[in-house]
Every structure is written in structure tokens, then in C-alpha cells.
Amino acid sequence: MTVPTVAELLQSACAELERAEVFCGHGTDNYWDEAVYLLRHVCSWPVDVDRSVLQQPIEREPQQQFEQLLARRIAERIPAPYLTGEAWFCGIPFNVDERVIIPRSPIAQLITAQFRPWLLQPPANVLDLCCGSGCIGIATAAAVPSAEVVLSDLSDAALAVAASNIERHDLAERVKINCGDLFAGLQGQQFELIVCNPPYVDAEDFATMPAEYRHEPTMALVSGDDGLDFTRRLLQQAPDHLTEQGLLICEVGNSAVALEEAFPDLALTWLEFEEGDGGVFVTDRDQLLAERHRRA
């Protein structure tokens, strides 16, 4: 029997993924990267493995393991990071499973820039609200070594994953966990920066999403008919937890249009990214207080 090279195995896998019309959107945007993601896990290759490996023959055992993962990826529509138990965000690996959504926010680009130019100085304290796996807050702690970070989420299950990532990256001294709905458990605490990637998918979009998204926790995705149930509460309560010059950065994805319609007078700056989708805004404490007063 002819032993395939790594490249041949990957090309064959790409053809299978394409025939099956699987959806790529959980860390990759094409079939080649999707196949590489699975094979790299099986072979324990580093992210920057040399491309010369493509011409090497693949041994039978890793080939079989890869084919088993590929079969599950196709038949069950399980996103690749759930099959490997690992996702990458800001160049950092994170533990993931079906208790948390898979990291993929364009907010990563803000983190690597230490939130410049929106903050003139790196933030001293940060709240990662709706933290899920903790990827935003932990990546912020890694990018800003002086920052104290709180990861907060309503889900105990998600926070267990976040705790494993704090331990994985040895950040327990600077990254703490809070369990509560919105700002519950954070009374009296104020932050220079609140970063939030909340549930924001509206009912219509959720009904038409690819099967891969059904593996992610619904409570982390869906937020009412227009996707804004959580965000409305956030905008109302956030100014009480921001310092005088504090900023709120929030992702609302496709619900951006609905948000502008619901809050026509609230000054929101919509951010543009070199990679990934938009739907991320920044606003400050003064603007949020003004909006609250208008609605009082």
C-alpha cells in the first residue's frame, strides 16, 4: 500500500470537507486550514511547524487518528477546536469544550495593540464580562503585564474552563473570577476598561446558523428577538462600574444595526479591523451616563 505524504493526506481531507459542505468559522475560514488544525493536533506539531513536513510520509497511526477526527467533523458537524480541546486567540492556546463558545472575536486585534489609541496608557484594571473561556481577559493580562483582570460570567460551567486557562497560563495572581449575572458580585468595583463579548445573536439569525453553532452553548449566543436583551442592560448599568475616564468595548456583531436604531442618541464609535468581522463599538462613561439620563 502506498503511504501518502502529509500534503496528499491534507488535500484529500480538503476534498472531503468541501464535498460535505462543512462550515468553517471557528478559527479557520478555509478547508485547508481546517484540515491542518486537526492533523497538527494529532501529530503534536507546533503552530509554526516547518512546511517541509508536507513532503514527509504520514505514519499509519496518526493517519487513522486524523481520519477518525475528520469523520466526526463531517458527520457530527463538531467544530475542530472542540475535537482537539484547544483554540488559539491572540497567538495563545486556550482550553475549550462545549461549555464555552470558541474564541474568534476581532477584539484580539485591540488586545495586541494594548487598546491604543483608545486608551493612552495600558489599563490598570480590566473586566472581561461574559468571559466564557476567559480568552479576552487572559490575553489582555498577557499583553498588559501590569493589569489586574476580572473574568465574569453567569455560567459556572464556563468559569470552570476559564479557571483551567488561568492555571494553564500561570496568571492566578493577576486574573480573578467572578460568577454572576451582568455586574452581580462586582458591587462597588470600577474598572478602567470593560470588554464584553456578550450573547448578541437575534432569533432570526440563530434559526439559520450552520449546524456547527448548535454545539456551542445557546445562552452564550442568543439574546432575544433582536439580539440586544443583554446589551440593553449592559449599557444601563456599565457607567456605575467604570472609572471617570473608563471605556466600554463591546461586540454586538450583526445586531449593530438594531443597536443604532434602539439607541440613536448614544455616541458609539464603530471599530474597523484588518481581519475579521466588525460589529464592535467603544464608548465611555460620560456618554453612557448621558444616555441613562435621557431615558430616566
Side-chain angles (χ1 to χ4, degrees):
M1 174 180 282
T2 302
V3 178
T5 65
V6 168
E8 290 169 341
L9 183 64
L10 291 171
Q11 289 164 355
S12 175
C14 287
E16 289 187 56
L17 292 166
E18 185 173 8
R19 281 194 298 271
E21 297 182 340
V22 303
F23 176 78
C24 298
H26 292 89
T28 69
D29 60 6
N30 62 83
Y31 296 132
W32 176 267
D33 287 346
E34 192 84 2
V36 168
Y37 199 96
L38 295 175
L39 186 58
R40 186 175 58 78
H41 168 74
V42 166
C43 296
S44 300
W45 290 333
V47 175
D48 58 351
V49 61
D50 193 279
R51 288 184 63 84
S52 63
V53 74
L54 291 171
Q55 306 311 316
Q56 297 176 7
I58 186 78
E59 295 182 6
R60 185 59 185 159
E61 184 175 349
Q63 180 183 349
Q64 290 176 334
Q65 293 174 355
F66 172 75
E67 289 172 347
Q68 290 169 0
L69 287 181
L70 184 68
R72 294 193 65 197
R73 176 71 183 90
I74 292 171
E76 301 175 53
R77 288 302 200 264
I78 301 173
Y82 285 156
L83 291 170
T84 66
E86 183 176 82
W88 288 76
F89 184 78
C90 285
I92 300 172
F94 289 91
N95 304 325
V96 295
D97 58 35
E98 294 190 11
R99 291 174 290 177
V100 297
I101 64 171
I102 295 167
R104 52 184 177 272
S105 173
I107 290 173
Q109 296 169 62
L110 300 176
I111 296 172
T112 56
Q114 295 187 331
F115 301 97
R116 293 187 294 265
W118 307 105
L119 289 175
L120 298 180
Q121 300 291 332
N125 58 346
V126 179
L127 171 62
D128 176 5
L129 193 58
C130 303
C131 69
S133 65
C135 62
I136 288 176
I138 290 171
T140 296
V144 185
S146 59
E148 301 286 333
V149 177
V150 174
L151 309 180
S152 187
D153 203 288
L154 176 61
S155 168
D156 282 318
L159 289 174
V161 179
S164 76
N165 284 315
I166 293 173
E167 181 179 1
R168 178 172 185 172
H169 296 292
D170 194 23
L171 286 168
E173 291 187 4
R174 290 195 293 122
V175 181
K176 308 301 180 184
I177 280 178
N178 176 72
C179 184
D181 178 27
L182 203 62
F183 293 104
L186 299 171
Q187 292 85 348
Q189 295 188 52
Q190 291 187 318
F191 301 88
E192 292 182 10
L193 177 64
I194 297 173
V195 185
C196 185
N197 184 7
Y200 59 70
V201 178
D202 64 48
E204 182 178 352
D205 279 354
F206 185 68
T208 60
M209 292 176 81
E212 280 80 356
Y213 290 97
R214 305 296 170 175
H215 292 274
E216 295 188 295
T218 302
M219 68 176 292
L221 293 173
V222 183
S223 192
D225 288 344
D226 64 357
L228 298 178
D229 282 4
F230 183 92
T231 304
R232 285 187 176 88
R233 299 167 58 216
L234 170 66
L235 296 177
Q236 171 69 19
Q237 298 182 34
D240 296 331
H241 296 274
L242 287 169
T243 60
E244 187 172 344
Q245 303 299 320
L247 292 183
L248 168 66
I249 294 174
C250 181
E251 179 174 347
V252 293
N254 290 342
S255 296
V257 174
L259 182 63
E260 289 199 310
E261 291 176 352
F263 293 85
D265 299 317
L266 176 58
L268 302 175
T269 300
W270 294 97
L271 306 183
E272 296 183 0
F273 299 96
E274 294 179 2
E275 300 176 5
D277 299 328
V280 177
F281 70 81
V282 58
T283 191
D284 60 32
R285 180 175 180 269
D286 288 344
Q287 297 296 338
L288 291 168
L289 284 173
E291 178 66 20
R292 188 159 71 184
H293 292 154
R294 282 192 291 269
R295 292 174 178 262

